[in-house]
Amino acid sequence: MVADPHSYWDASQPVVTHLDWAVAVDFSRRVLDCTAVLSIEGAGVLDLDTRNLDIASVTALPEAVPVPYEMGTVDAVLGQRLRLVVPPGTLALRIVYATRPESTALQWLEPAQTADGTHSFVYSQCQTIHARSMVPVPDSPSARITVHATFDVPEGYTAVMAGTPGQISHGGRRFSYDVTQSIPAYLLAFAVGALVSERIGPRSLVWAEPSMLASAAWEFAEVETILQAAESVMGDFPWQRADLIVMPPSYPYGGMENPQLIYLTPTLVTGDRSLVNVLSHEVIHHWTGDMVTCASLEHFWLNEGFTVFGERKVTELLEGREVAELQAAIGRDALDDDLRYLQDTPELTSLRLHLEGVHPDVSSSWVALEKGNLFLRAIEESVGEQRFAAFLRDYLDRFRFRSLTGEEFVAFAEAELPGAVDYEEWLHGTGLPDGTPVSRSRLLDRIRSLGNTLPEAALAGSWGATEWQVYLGQLQSPVDTDLLSALDDAYSLTASRNSDVLAIWLHLGLLSGYGPAVPASVGLLATVGRLKYLKVLYHALADRPDTHQLALDTFAAHRHRYHPIAVTVVSARLHPA
Ligand code: BES
Ligand code: ZN
């Protein structure tokens, strides 16, 4: 049995198989008043994970006997253990409790913090270890549950959840959902706001605030094409629906693979579909992450590495090999940045992590995504695309709706594709092994041959977001500020509407002492809460003596608008331990 260092529960204890969850949303108190009925197999000591929950009562069913429980001391990483003894014959535990306004899973937004400014909004983000601050459960990805949930909301609000929608009752104020496939608790996800939807495919709605709906529906109209490309790589879609929701601007991630309700940052709605690869990424997660799941955050690369691999296959099918290779090169640039940043903690550059006492939000980096992808690419290069494609299907079959460790993956790969690569080195080694696959494309070579020179309009005039990111990524920093000014004059990069391009451009500008990058960075940090941008821009601002204080002041001014996870991660960067 492998213990999860981020959960008090372990597999020797009674098992929770199902959650029946009743939630009443109270915007004025910023509290969810909840009853959780956990179906239980087994008896004896049971440790549930909690954080910032006020437990009112625990009762064993069917006899309705009160169960004494004990709350442990608060641990900064793990939260608080809820220990109880499950009496023999128990079928379920009923726990009545409330969340606190400080729940780390929940972001409560004032109307002014939403796109439309008319209604309050609340949503959950449970990955990595925040389900426990919303519901008392075994909050380890090695534990899987099915779910039935109801949400009572004020009039005029809609509750959406990552699951299959059921009845709407109580005069339109109670929404019910089911998750019939077993999921780890971190995939519990819901949002409540003034949400409306539009059908964009046979199995897909997009949800958004009214003012965003039409542009979102256009931006993500290719969802069914993406799903079908994904199915051709991964096999039949293992869920019923593939709905999407455009989150408020402070959402901390680009996207999140909540099954049947993909969360997407509004920064993807660029008007030119140039960032839809994030949607492909979250779609692929429905197989790798949601269906086959890492057993703990120490094996997070199994979720993310496989997903980046699948995402690039979808990109290759839909946009061609050249684009997929360019995106791989952009990913490699981000990885190289993180490898430099992690120089003093090389253990965080291994795929297999050791995270006892370490918060997985703070340790998470591009290593899981991009080095994980490179590991799989290395195996593919060694055995050939066809054999690897068959291996991928075998892997998905073998671990369907199960959670596994990196060691289990390596044992499986060693048996199926013996000696394809140095598996141990890839799993446990730091940095990148010799012979790491590299991107190859004519366009990539052409862009990289520019070096630190201004590209001519005949070439760059037709560049999209992908080409710009490759070009900016290959510039040697610090870049001469004359070149940066010339680029801005010719191509208006400081005004880019593609936030991925903008963030890379501003980062380069800050590293190079380019004046206009400072106010523009502060502007982005004031409007968007996506961690991918917050991490690099705050770090670059804080690193320069002339803008160090500005970084602290900007964070102080806007931290109340960021999701609690983003606040923790940025604080760790601004004030290293
Ligand atoms: N599952 C991740 C988001 C995540 C990562 C949540 C780490 C908690 C901890 C999601 O699938 C993801 O990888 N998002 C990326 C975009 C992706 C296209 C690389 C992001 O947020 O930028
Ligand atoms: Zn991902």
Side-chain angles (χ1 to χ4, degrees):
M1 185 191 62
V2 205
D4 178 344
H6 298 117
S7 177
Y8 286 111
W9 178 84
D10 72 57
S12 68
Q13 299 192 354
V15 174
V16 178
T17 57
H18 179 78
L19 164 67
D20 196 332
W21 194 31
V23 180
V25 179
D26 185 339
F27 282 106
S28 61
R29 286 157 55 231
R30 298 194 158 191
V31 159
L32 304 178
D33 289 299
C34 306
T35 301
V37 178
L38 307 179
S39 302
I40 304 284
E41 284 175 6
V45 173
L46 173 63
D47 291 326
L48 299 175
D49 295 303
T50 81
R51 180 199 297 282
N52 289 325
L53 297 183
D54 289 313
I55 308 290
S57 67
V58 182
T59 316
L61 303 177
E63 304 294 339
V65 240
V67 177
Y69 60 89
E70 178 195 295
M71 296 299 282
T73 52
V74 177
D75 180 276
V77 175
L78 289 173
Q80 222 177 346
R81 186 183 75 187
L82 189 175
R83 169 164 286 191
L84 51 85
V85 179
V86 177
T90 299
L91 295 181
L93 293 170
R94 181 172 62 216
I95 305 177
V96 178
Y97 70 97
T99 62
R100 295 189 193 144
E102 318 68 80
S103 164
T104 55
L106 301 175
Q107 190 176 16
W108 296 88
L109 300 172
E110 296 295 334
Q113 294 169 268
T114 66
D116 284 19
T118 58
H119 286 66
S120 302
F121 198 99
V122 63
Y123 71 90
S124 65
Q125 165 62 38
C126 291
Q127 194 176 33
T128 52
I129 54 169
H130 303 284
R132 66 193 63 184
S133 77
M134 187 165 101
V135 55
V137 279
D139 190 10
S140 165
S142 64
R144 307 184 78 102
I145 50 174
T146 54
V147 187
H148 172 74
T150 62
F151 298 87
D152 288 356
V153 304
E155 185 150 4
Y157 283 81
T158 298
V160 292
M161 181 188 169
T164 315
Q167 273 187 355
I168 302 174
S169 61
H170 293 65
R173 294 181 44 239
R174 176 172 293 175
F175 294 80
S176 68
Y177 289 89
D178 286 285
V179 185
T180 54
Q181 290 90 341
S182 67
I183 55 162
Y186 78 83
L187 292 175
L188 284 168
F190 76 93
V192 178
L195 288 163
V196 289
S197 65
E198 185 171 324
R199 172 172 289 276
I200 53 170
R203 41 189 158 174
S204 302
L205 301 177
V206 61
W207 290 93
E209 292 183 61
S211 69
M212 287 287 292
L213 188 63
S215 49
W218 186 85
E219 199 77 32
F220 305 122
E222 292 161 327
V223 64
E224 183 60 24
T225 310
I226 292 171
L227 280 158
Q228 287 178 17
E231 287 184 306
S232 76
V233 179
M234 312 294 275
D236 286 344
F237 190 63
W239 308 84
Q240 292 90 332
R241 300 203 51 81
D243 292 339
L244 322 177
I245 175 172
V246 178
M247 301 302 286
S250 57
Y251 184 62
Y253 297 106
M256 175 68 210
E257 63 269 27
N258 296 313
Q260 314 195 61
L261 183 67
I262 290 171
Y263 284 15
L264 297 166
T265 165
T267 62
L268 304 183
V269 183
T270 51
D272 62 4
R273 297 186 183 155
S274 54
L275 295 174
V276 285
N277 73 295
V278 178
L279 175 55
S280 305
H281 179 96
E282 308 312 335
V283 163
I284 292 288
H285 265 309
H286 280 64
W287 288 265
T288 47
D290 297 354
M291 179 182 84
V292 176
T293 310
C294 60
S296 83
L297 274 309
E298 295 187 329
H299 313 282
F300 191 46
W301 77 271
L302 287 170
N303 285 12
E304 296 297 341
F306 270 94
T307 300
V308 170
F309 181 89
E311 169 201 332
R312 303 242 161 92
K313 291 288 176 202
V314 168
T315 301
E316 189 177 328
L317 285 170
L318 300 181
E319 298 181 67
R321 185 134 198 159
E322 186 105 269
V323 176
E325 290 293 288
L326 293 185
Q327 294 193 352
I330 296 167
R332 177 60 192 268
D333 289 341
L335 175 61
D336 287 341
D337 271 352
D338 267 1
L339 292 177
R340 270 189 297 276
Y341 178 73
L342 296 169
Q343 248 163 32
D344 301 330
T345 47
E347 66 282 4
L348 293 179
T349 69
S350 294
L351 291 178
R352 171 46 157 119
L353 297 169
H354 296 274
L355 297 179
E356 185 127 20
V358 178
H359 199 297
D361 287 342
V362 174
S363 65
S364 111
S365 76
W366 289 102
V367 169
L369 290 99
E370 294 293 344
K371 182 177 175 183
N373 164 63
L374 290 169
F375 180 12
L376 302 174
R377 289 291 293 256
I379 303 173
E380 183 187 44
E381 282 193 359
S382 164
V383 303
E385 281 186 46
Q386 270 196 336
R387 259 183 94 193
F388 191 83
F391 167 77
L392 176 60
R393 296 294 190 97
D394 289 348
Y395 166 75
L396 295 172
D397 274 351
R398 167 71 181 76
F399 296 103
R400 195 176 168 84
F401 290 103
R402 296 212 22 218
S403 306
L404 79 155
T405 64
E407 285 81 348
E408 286 176 89
F409 167 73
V410 162
F412 179 77
E414 286 274 24
E416 298 250 322
L417 302 171
V421 297
D422 186 342
Y423 288 106
E424 293 302 315
E425 162 76 9
W426 271 103
L427 189 64
H428 297 286
T430 58
L432 290 173
D434 292 339
T436 294
V438 289
S439 316
R440 284 187 212 92
S441 103
R442 278 186 29 242
L443 186 51
L444 184 62
D445 292 342
R446 176 119 186 257
I447 297 174
R448 284 186 170 157
S449 71
L450 290 166
N452 283 29
T453 63
L454 185 70
E456 306 219 342
L459 180 65
S462 63
W463 281 355
T466 302
E467 289 86 350
W468 274 111
Q469 289 181 74
V470 172
Y471 168 75
L472 296 173
Q474 61 85 47
L475 291 176
Q476 294 296 318
S477 97
V479 184
D480 195 325
T481 52
D482 288 343
L483 175 59
L484 295 175
S485 298
L487 278 164
D488 231 354
D489 288 344
Y491 303 108
S492 309
L493 291 167
T494 304
S496 174
R497 286 197 296 118
N498 182 298
S499 53
D500 272 16
V501 172
L502 181 62
I504 294 182
W505 166 252
L506 295 176
H507 186 214
L508 206 59
L510 295 176
L511 296 177
S512 310
Y514 178 58
V518 175
S521 297
V522 171
L524 188 63
L525 295 169
T527 48
V528 166
R530 186 174 173 188
L531 268 170
K532 177 177 173 181
Y533 310 145
L534 268 50
K535 279 188 189 178
V536 293
L537 295 181
Y538 274 117
H539 187 241
L541 279 172
D543 231 24
R544 293 180 68 90
D546 54 333
T547 51
H548 181 79
Q549 192 56 42
L550 181 65
L552 301 181
D553 294 346
T554 306
F555 185 55
H558 299 294
R559 59 181 292 162
H560 70 279
R561 295 186 319 98
Y562 298 147
H563 188 282
I565 295 172
V567 173
T568 308
V569 172
V570 174
S571 299
R573 290 223 163 188
L574 290 177
H575 312 282

